[in-house]
Amino acid sequence: MVRLITHNMLTCHVKNCTKDNYPLVFQDAAVEIRPAEPNLGFIERFLPKLEWSALVSTAKALGDDSLPEVMPEDEEELRSEEFLTKLHHVLMEIHVEEGAMVCRGCGHVYQISSGIPNMLLAEHEVGR
Amino acid sequence: MSRPEEIAPPEIFYGDVEAKKYTGNTRVQSIQAEMTDRAIELLALPPDEAQFILDIGCGSGLSGEILDEDGHYWVGCDVAPSMLEVALQREVEGDLFLQDIGQGFGFRPGTFDAAISISVVQWLLNADSAAHSPPQRLNRFFTTLHSCLRNPSRAVFQFYPSSDDQVHMLTTAAQRAGFGGGVVVDYPNSAKKRKMYLCLMVGQSEIPKGLGENGMEVEGDAGDDKVKNEKRRRTERARGKKSMKGVVDKDWIMKKKELYRNRGKEGVPRDSKFTARKRKPKF
């Protein structure tokens, strides 16, 4: 049940892992599309928080290339219903059910099983 | 009253059996719902706006369900796999993570509009393995949480402290991480209904008030700080004896205690209404 909205917010939290720790790369991802009630106002307010390039590259890796490479600069296009609906689909309806997320910096593998990523760290990986 | 956190670590205590029991129990459900409603009220979210909320120690998603009803989007994390499994069966809306909150969060700065946590943080005060150090885990938890919350925003934790020292430990750890706010006590005079909420704020400072009997709001902290009639007693005594040499007043004692605490001295007595209280003359 990892949605891309959450994945876009997730970095690696292993001790001393500060370089290339975002975004986590999906591996052997099993994707499931689950329709969700759109709330376009929420998506619109969420826009400034998104890291666009990470979102697009991740969506592409999961086989969805409906989003443009660069975030539209035109305000009207950005706030248009069509664009926000597309964004809603990518952020809220794509769920990764199985697989793993790998940190490019330290190589830590976060296993995902039945939609729940295992974020537990070994004792020596916990930051202070 | 038995305390589950004294029996076993959370991921073991909430095994398959306990997780089902916990979620199926209607009494637990209604108490949880009540506390979640109160916590959401304390969050003071803008009305009619969906928010992105972190549910710390979401368990089987009892509180998440209420967030769903209000139309919020949430992300939950819990350390007990069995509880998360129950949450999966119940098909809650939020994203779930298997995470030990004492190890810190890995979310980007400013991710969440609020954080909520029902009956969880008291677990952090226990050292369940040799490598666990509660102050260190608290510190890691609060600093990473502080950074992943938006400014301004709030985080509300309902918790069951076993002593005043635990409350003190939590609040100082939170303050050190940069949070403002403090403890809100609902129904402070009722043994059963009494509930404590740690209400932390990022970038704002007014603490909400706790609920009293009949839904009345009472002062945030546990009442007056002074002994009754102390002032009158003092003036009367002063009238009787003109000069009282060598008397240390409360301010001086508080100053000294503060100093010792800052230096990290152990065993500094905690402040109460009896601090620097005058005693009866003895022969």
Side-chain angles (χ1 to χ4, degrees):
Chain A
M1 262 198 320
V2 188
R3 290 175 293 194
L4 288 197
I5 188 173
T6 321
H7 174 263
N8 200 259
M9 295 294 143
L10 207 57
T11 62
C12 177
H13 65 302
V14 169
K15 186 183 186 179
N16 296 336
C17 177
T18 47
K19 238 176 98 189
D20 289 332
N21 63 349
Y22 177 83
L24 301 173
V25 182
F26 280 117
Q27 235 175 32
D28 316 319
V31 179
E32 194 174 306
I33 309 283
R34 275 189 226 158
E37 192 90 353
N39 182 342
L40 299 185
F42 173 74
I43 304 276
E44 194 179 327
R45 264 179 290 121
F46 208 82
L47 273 174
K49 285 191 203 166
L50 287 174
E51 181 73 45
W52 192 259
S53 56
L55 178 67
V56 173
S57 63
T58 315
K60 273 222 171 102
L62 294 179
D64 186 302
D65 45 9
S66 56
L67 294 178
E69 210 52 64
V70 212
M71 197 164 171
E73 282 178 18
D74 182 26
E75 279 287 309
E76 288 219 345
E77 194 190 336
L78 207 59
R79 314 245 174 260
S80 72
E81 204 181 317
E82 188 200 343
F83 178 74
L84 289 178
T85 320
K86 241 192 261 173
L87 199 54
H88 165 79
H89 170 73
V90 174
L91 287 178
M92 299 295 192
E93 295 184 339
I94 299 181
H95 294 255
V96 177
E97 287 292 321
E98 299 285 335
M101 293 185 288
V102 184
C103 170
R104 289 177 299 144
C106 64
H108 188 98
V109 181
Y110 299 97
Q111 292 291 348
I112 305 174
S113 72
S114 56
I116 300 176
N118 181 348
M119 306 301 284
L120 298 178
L121 301 177
E123 222 30 79
H124 68 275
E125 293 171 323
V126 180
R128 293 284 171 247
Chain B
M1 199 167 65
S2 68
R3 291 193 150 264
E5 59 270 25
E6 283 167 6
I7 297 170
E11 63 272 27
I12 292 166
F13 181 79
Y14 289 116
D16 289 335
V17 179
E18 194 66 28
K20 286 229 170 61
K21 240 199 296 185
Y22 190 88
T23 319
N25 187 329
T26 47
R27 196 180 100 86
V28 170
Q29 277 174 7
S30 73
I31 293 177
Q32 285 259 340
E34 205 175 285
M35 292 191 300
T36 311
D37 281 334
R38 173 67 175 141
I40 292 174
E41 187 186 332
L42 286 173
L43 283 176
L45 298 169
D48 305 325
E49 264 188 21
Q51 305 279 335
F52 202 46
I53 297 177
L54 178 64
D55 186 353
I56 300 159
C58 61
S60 48
L62 288 173
S63 41
E65 251 173 12
I66 292 170
L67 293 175
D68 281 339
E69 280 168 22
D70 293 357
H72 298 301
Y73 294 95
W74 57 279
V75 173
C77 57
D78 205 291
V79 76
S82 307
M83 284 295 236
L84 291 173
E85 211 169 283
V86 177
L88 274 185
Q89 286 163 12
R90 287 154 49 84
E91 297 188 341
V92 291
E93 291 289 322
D95 282 346
L96 304 169
F97 286 94
L98 178 65
Q99 190 158 20
D100 182 359
I101 55 173
Q103 295 181 342
F105 299 104
F107 294 105
R108 285 202 291 135
T111 298
F112 295 103
D113 301 316
I116 189 174
S117 150
I118 305 295
S119 317
V120 174
V121 279
Q122 70 268 14
W123 289 96
L124 268 183
L125 300 163
N126 280 34
D128 293 324
S129 83
H132 282 188
S133 151
Q136 223 162 43
R137 283 162 60 79
L138 276 178
N139 183 27
R140 177 86 182 146
F141 168 63
F142 280 123
T143 43
T144 50
L145 177 68
H146 186 269
S147 73
C148 77
L149 285 173
R150 189 172 59 105
N151 185 1
S153 65
R154 286 185 182 190
V156 174
F157 309 78
Q158 187 278 325
F159 68 114
Y160 296 108
S162 66
S163 67
D164 281 358
D165 289 344
Q166 290 201 336
V167 180
H168 184 73
M169 196 168 161
L170 275 170
T171 46
T172 45
Q175 273 164 10
R176 224 172 271 150
F179 281 107
V183 177
V184 176
V185 187
D186 279 359
Y187 309 107
N189 302 322
S190 155
K192 248 189 183 164
K193 266 178 110 180
R194 188 170 198 262
K195 291 282 176 310
M196 286 182 103
Y197 297 86
L198 183 61
C199 193
L200 300 179
M201 297 170 196
V202 183
Q204 48 185 194
S205 57
E206 206 182 309
I207 315 176
K209 286 175 179 170
L211 295 178
E213 296 303 327
N214 322 322
M216 290 237 307
E217 303 217 323
V218 292
E219 274 301 319
D221 231 320
D224 228 15
D225 222 1
K226 273 186 178 162
V227 180
K228 218 177 157 192
N229 291 342
E230 194 197 16
K231 201 172 174 188
R232 200 176 72 193
R233 227 180 291 152
R234 198 182 289 172
T235 48
E236 272 172 11
R237 203 174 301 158
R239 230 178 283 143
K241 267 189 217 161
K242 266 278 133 56
S243 66
M244 293 172 81
K245 264 191 176 175
V247 173
V248 287
D249 65 341
K250 191 166 180 180
D251 293 340
W252 185 82
I253 291 178
M254 297 300 271
K255 205 176 78 187
K256 280 292 188 191
K257 284 170 117 179
E258 196 54 46
L259 182 71
Y260 291 144
R261 274 189 204 119
N262 285 343
R263 285 180 187 163
K265 192 178 170 187
E266 274 179 23
V268 181
R270 64 189 171 84
D271 301 331
S272 73
K273 63 177 187 180
F274 299 107
T275 302
R277 183 192 183 178
K278 291 280 185 320
R279 292 182 191 189
K280 275 185 195 164
K282 270 187 184 166
F283 292 104

